[in-house]
Amino acid sequence: MAAVLFDFSGTLFRIESTESWLRAVLADSEVPLPEAELIRATKELEAVGALPGGALPSKPVPDDVARHWGIRDQSSELHRAAYTGVSRQVTLPDPELHDRLYDRHMAPAAWRPYPDTAEVLGALRERGVAVGVVSNIGWDLRPVFREHGLDPYIDAYVLSYEHGIQKPDPRLFATACDALGADPRDTLMVGDDRRADGGAAALGCGVHFVDHLPVAERPDGLRPVLDLVG
């Protein structure tokens, strides 16, 4: 393989838990919330799928949000509207907390790389394999990579909101291959979403899936990539 494309959330990095996300925003906002209410709000936020990169909604998305939920990664405006829209189903002590929660999920501190992310990216760099990040996302994730010291390993970022296209559309993967100067037939796509990331196969890319698990539960899920690259 001449190049490897990686998904971001659930593949190279994992977002913090919903409880940690809410606690951080309450602390920064200096908004008190009794523990029982905090736990209630945490469960409700998780049920509606309010945390980007977290669990998908387990209850119906409101009608006014549903019309753009499926295309939320095509622009930053749609992304914010979708996630704050589902978040507002949950009662919080201050309505402004919904936007602050959205802002928090974009902070580098809200994300942790998987234990073997640096190891695998570093090994690919040593082998001369080009690396790209292809993500369905509504904001610039580059600061997350810079903050965690991983930006030097990435040759190209192809983000859905910057192109108005989202996976599994083959055009997004084609854009990434072009940016790396790589033939799709010599490129491996690594991701956690079989539908979205599997779209790379339409171009002739190899595809490898990892499990979207908490960081502590997936210590070496990326290492098989090194064997696949050869």
Side-chain angles (χ1 to χ4, degrees):
M1 293 291 181
V4 179
L5 306 177
F6 288 97
D7 173 52
F8 167 57
S9 174
T11 300
L12 294 177
F13 282 82
R14 170 80 181 214
I15 190 69
E16 65 188 333
S17 69
T18 307
E19 182 178 335
S20 172
W21 177 55
L22 178 57
R23 286 187 186 278
V25 169
L26 290 171
D28 288 346
S29 304
E30 298 182 342
V31 174
L33 191 63
E35 188 68 13
E37 284 297 296
L38 187 148
I39 298 303
R40 173 202 58 79
T42 294
K43 291 179 179 178
E44 292 183 7
L45 287 166
E46 190 155 323
V48 300
L51 175 58
L56 292 173
S58 61
K59 58 189 298 184
V61 174
D63 290 343
D64 61 336
V65 178
R67 56 192 170 86
H68 52 245
W69 181 260
I71 57 170
R72 63 191 181 278
D73 296 314
Q74 292 184 12
S75 75
S76 56
E77 294 80 12
L78 285 170
H79 197 266
R80 178 181 282 272
Y83 281 103
T84 56
V86 294
S87 175
R88 288 192 176 94
Q89 296 177 89
V90 179
T91 300
L92 296 175
D94 182 343
E96 292 186 6
L97 288 172
H98 296 289
D99 279 307
R100 293 174 191 167
L101 282 168
Y102 183 85
D103 292 340
R104 163 70 186 182
H105 102 274
M106 297 185 286
W111 294 89
R112 288 178 61 195
Y114 282 94
D116 55 348
T117 293
E119 170 194 341
V120 170
L121 293 179
L124 292 173
R125 174 52 56 93
E126 290 177 1
R127 297 182 189 186
V129 177
V131 173
V133 172
V134 184
S135 178
N136 279 353
I137 199 165
W139 50 277
D140 186 4
L141 52 72
R142 295 172 183 87
V144 176
F145 282 79
R146 288 196 291 267
E147 181 69 21
H148 290 277
L150 298 174
D151 181 63
Y153 300 126
I154 310 301
D155 299 295
Y157 295 92
V158 177
L159 311 181
S160 62
Y161 84 101
E162 293 181 337
H163 298 274
I165 305 167
Q166 64 188 55
K167 299 181 289 187
D169 193 318
R171 291 177 294 170
L172 203 63
F173 303 106
T175 298
C177 289
D178 288 345
L180 297 176
D183 187 322
R185 294 168 295 181
D186 298 324
T187 301
L188 178 68
M189 175 66 206
V190 181
D192 68 299
D193 187 320
R194 280 164 171 72
R195 178 180 177 274
D197 299 313
L203 288 180
C205 297
V207 180
H208 176 70
F209 297 110
V210 295
D211 294 323
H212 189 151
L213 295 171
V215 167
E217 295 177 23
R218 211 194 76 193
D220 54 6
L222 291 169
R223 287 180 186 155
V225 171
L226 300 178
D227 294 328
L228 292 170
V229 169

